[in-house]
Amino acid sequence: MKKIFQKIDNKKIAVMSVAVFLLSMLPLWYLAGYARPSGDDYGYSIYTHAAWLDTHSIWEVLKAAARTVRMAYIGWNGDFVTTFLFSLMPEVFVPWSFWIAPLIMSGALILGTSIFLYEVCVKIMGMAKEDFWIFDAIILLASFQYIPSTKIGMYWYVGATHYIIPHMALLLALVAAWRFFVTQKKRYLAAAVIWAFVVGGSSYFSCLLLFMLYLVLMAAGYRKNKKVLALVLPYLVCLVCFIIQCKSPGNVNRGGADFGLHASAVAAAIFQALWQGIVMAGRYVREKTFIFILFLLLGVFGWEALLKRKSSFSFRYPLLFVILMYGCYSSQFAPAIYAAVDVSMGPETMEYLTFLPAMAMSVFYVEGWLIGKLGLNEESSMQFALKWRSRVIFPAIFVCLVLTVLNSHWIGSSVDRDALEYVLSGRADDFKEQMTAQMEVLLDDSIKEAYLVPANDEQGPLMHMPVTEDEEAFTNRVVRDFYRKDKVVIRTE
């Protein structure tokens, strides 16, 4: 057994980890072929689609996108960057091209998470690259398989653009800020400004995290390098964009006449968010238990990786760091609490996607501090690491496999199960057949009054707001205007 353990090094485990993650994504990517635009996807793209049909000019499409931003800012919401992207839904340009949207959104989450983790694990903590691939696969597996809403995460273009794209931009803004702090190279400052602009014009959730973490970096890094204060520039860019968002007249239409900045409401939201973070973490333990099995693996591999690391980074303040990570996680509850209006599953998705890296960073930091306290030198660390592999890592993997087999409902609650069940039950093919029948009518320019076959109400992981019998319903109107019909309604006979 000892010889077997020695042959299975972390490079092989990294390959297997990435392979498992990619295999887990196949059902989700396969399901992208069934995804269709829905509701707001059409609504925000009416003007851009018309511009493309009339002119086939990208410039005219961009002008129409700007018009959409202006109208939305006055009438509904102030997130001008993501609203601009809303209006560029794939089917603005090519019918039946919506399948690319879930691939773009999943790719954005993978890209942002991977670049951020690489910076933390390899560049900052000095871990080996193969260890980073193991951790990246673990975090991404948890991110996709137990995401609160696949609709927000992948299949609803407007929803995913509103939450996933800013989340990716935030992670890249943090990487750019750290690289500027370390190197003082202007290109990283420029990148930080660009990503801060995207965050500031997109999402309250990601804005809060950027404000918090940039302040911490500037305050903690000032004594070591005063040039870190140059990060005030992207900070102010994000702040100005954030204020522009908040000043949108459309916020009153969406949040009510009392919507605005109130000090008492802000304080109450902060305290409620701190408490809600504890409550939601308890829910994760009950409902997403398998992610803590993954965190166990992350912890045992993380200990070994930190023993072998080559970096001068020191883990001096574990309690402060854990408090900071909890603050980052709990901050994601504040916008929805403050707004006190009905929200989609977007906020819960952002809470979860923030919880995972915050938990991982806390585990690594505390382990790094403990290793420092034990005073292990490089030679003793390597000896300890060899024993750790045979006595802890592989037994831990075995225990995790046994626990997973004994608790099959952990896997049963995964997104893959929902996707496979939706496809294998035949409901996905039924939905696609119904959508095909609808599109044949909608794409026929000779038909001005479109009577569509109804679609089934169960879309599994997909997102679909069905056209109804009421021709003045929201979905009916936006589909009508997108396809330039006089009327769109469900056929009842």
Side-chain angles (χ1 to χ4, degrees):
M1 290 297 292
K2 188 174 181 179
K3 290 180 179 179
I4 293 175
F5 292 154
Q6 289 174 347
K7 288 182 180 180
I8 306 177
D9 58 19
N10 280 18
K11 290 183 179 180
K12 294 184 177 66
I13 294 174
V15 171
M16 290 187 287
S17 299
V18 172
V20 168
F21 166 66
L22 292 176
L23 286 172
S24 76
M25 292 300 296
L26 292 182
L28 305 184
W29 286 331
Y30 177 78
L31 205 56
Y34 293 87
R36 296 297 304 142
S38 180
D40 289 336
D41 296 341
Y42 285 121
Y44 282 103
S45 299
I46 290 170
Y47 297 120
T48 49
H49 187 229
W52 180 253
L53 290 177
D54 292 339
T55 69
H56 278 73
S57 165
I58 294 296
W59 176 243
E60 291 301 320
V61 170
L62 295 178
K63 286 167 62 177
R67 179 187 176 192
T68 302
V69 171
R70 183 171 62 253
M71 294 182 65
Y73 188 83
I74 295 171
W76 188 242
N77 58 291
D79 46 324
F80 55 91
V81 171
T82 42
T83 299
F84 187 85
L85 297 176
F86 293 165
S87 66
L88 302 177
M89 187 261 293
E91 298 211 6
V92 163
F93 306 99
V94 180
W96 291 108
S97 63
F98 193 78
W99 59 270
I100 199 172
L103 303 185
I104 291 172
M105 298 308 164
S106 60
L109 182 55
I110 292 169
L111 179 69
T113 302
S114 299
I115 291 176
F116 175 76
L117 285 177
Y118 182 84
E119 187 70 20
V120 171
C121 295
V122 179
K123 295 293 187 178
I124 298 176
M125 295 186 180
M127 297 179 182
K129 290 182 180 179
E130 57 266 26
D131 295 321
F132 149 73
W133 285 113
I134 294 172
F135 304 143
D136 192 41
I138 289 174
I139 296 298
L140 288 173
L141 183 67
S143 297
F144 283 98
Q145 290 305 312
Y146 297 93
I147 194 169
S149 172
T150 53
K151 298 169 176 59
I152 296 296
M154 289 182 65
Y155 300 112
W156 182 20
Y157 178 75
V158 164
T161 301
H162 186 62
Y163 292 102
I164 300 302
I165 297 300
H167 182 67
M168 177 199 71
L170 166 72
L171 295 173
L172 296 179
L174 295 176
V175 171
W178 179 262
R179 289 187 179 178
F180 173 74
F181 170 64
V182 173
T183 67
Q184 288 83 57
K185 292 182 179 179
K186 292 181 180 179
R187 68 172 181 268
Y188 294 128
L189 183 62
V193 169
I194 293 170
W195 293 120
F197 174 82
V198 175
V199 171
S202 301
S203 168
Y204 296 145
F205 300 89
S206 299
C207 280
L208 286 176
L209 285 174
L210 187 142
F211 293 148
M212 291 172 60
L213 293 172
Y214 268 43
L215 279 177
V216 169
L217 179 56
M218 286 188 285
Y222 178 75
R223 291 180 61 184
K224 184 176 181 180
N225 186 348
K226 291 181 174 56
K227 290 185 179 180
V228 73
L229 292 183
L231 291 175
V232 166
L233 179 59
Y235 186 96
L236 289 177
V237 168
C238 186
L239 180 61
V240 170
C241 293
F242 177 77
I243 292 172
I244 292 173
Q245 270 206 77
C246 294
K247 288 292 185 179
S248 164
N251 288 332
V252 175
N253 296 331
R254 193 168 190 173
D258 294 332
F259 185 84
L261 184 62
H262 308 288
S264 59
V266 170
I270 291 173
F271 285 111
Q272 289 181 51
L274 290 170
W275 171 248
Q276 192 61 30
I278 298 173
V279 173
M280 188 59 73
R283 275 187 56 186
Y284 293 158
V285 173
R286 297 191 305 272
E287 299 174 7
K288 304 179 189 293
T289 312
F290 187 68
I291 69 172
F292 294 93
I293 297 297
L294 295 176
F295 274 121
L296 174 60
L297 292 177
L298 185 142
V300 296
F301 278 107
W303 183 273
E304 181 193 42
L306 289 164
L307 284 172
K308 300 182 299 183
R309 76 188 185 98
K310 295 180 180 180
S311 172
S312 59
F313 182 83
S314 59
F315 304 85
R316 297 170 60 185
Y317 307 106
L319 181 58
L320 285 177
F321 187 83
V322 171
I323 291 173
L324 173 64
M325 290 297 98
Y326 180 74
C328 290
Y329 156 62
S330 60
S331 72
Q332 300 302 279
F333 296 89
I337 292 172
Y338 181 82
V341 295
D342 292 335
V343 294
S344 68
M345 288 293 288
E348 189 171 335
T349 300
M350 297 317 300
E351 293 152 14
Y352 178 69
L353 292 179
T354 305
F355 172 80
L356 293 176
M359 182 74 172
M361 297 306 101
S362 297
V363 170
F364 291 150
Y365 199 99
V366 171
E367 286 184 331
W369 175 77
L370 286 172
I371 289 171
K373 281 295 181 181
L374 291 174
L376 296 173
N377 57 40
E378 186 173 352
E379 182 179 352
S380 62
S381 294
M382 292 305 296
Q383 294 174 352
F384 192 95
L386 290 173
K387 294 179 181 179
W388 184 262
R389 289 181 61 78
S390 60
R391 298 180 184 180
V392 178
I393 286 183
F394 289 103
I397 293 174
F398 178 75
V399 168
C400 290
L401 289 173
V402 171
L403 288 174
T404 303
V405 170
L406 293 177
N407 297 274
S408 57
H409 62 278
W410 292 349
I411 301 299
S413 62
S414 67
V415 170
D416 268 357
R417 176 188 175 278
D418 293 340
L420 289 170
E421 183 180 37
Y422 184 55
V423 172
L424 295 176
S425 67
R427 287 178 294 158
D429 287 328
D430 288 344
F431 177 69
K432 189 171 185 177
E433 182 179 341
Q434 292 151 7
M435 290 296 100
T436 301
Q438 289 190 4
M439 288 296 291
E440 288 176 355
V441 175
L442 293 171
L443 292 174
D444 189 338
D445 293 334
S446 67
I447 299 175
K448 292 302 178 182
E449 294 190 353
Y451 293 88
L452 307 179
V453 297
N456 65 57
D457 293 329
E458 298 181 12
Q459 287 90 39
L462 301 180
M463 171 68 178
H464 186 66
M465 300 178 188
V467 173
T468 70
E469 297 177 9
D470 178 8
E471 63 180 279
E472 292 304 316
F474 170 75
T475 303
N476 294 58
R477 289 187 285 109
V478 295
V479 172
R480 176 197 68 197
D481 294 343
F482 186 90
Y483 289 106
R484 294 178 161 182
K485 304 297 182 183
D486 295 332
K487 178 170 70 173
V488 170
V489 67
I490 283 296
R491 190 172 62 207
T492 56
E493 70 274 3

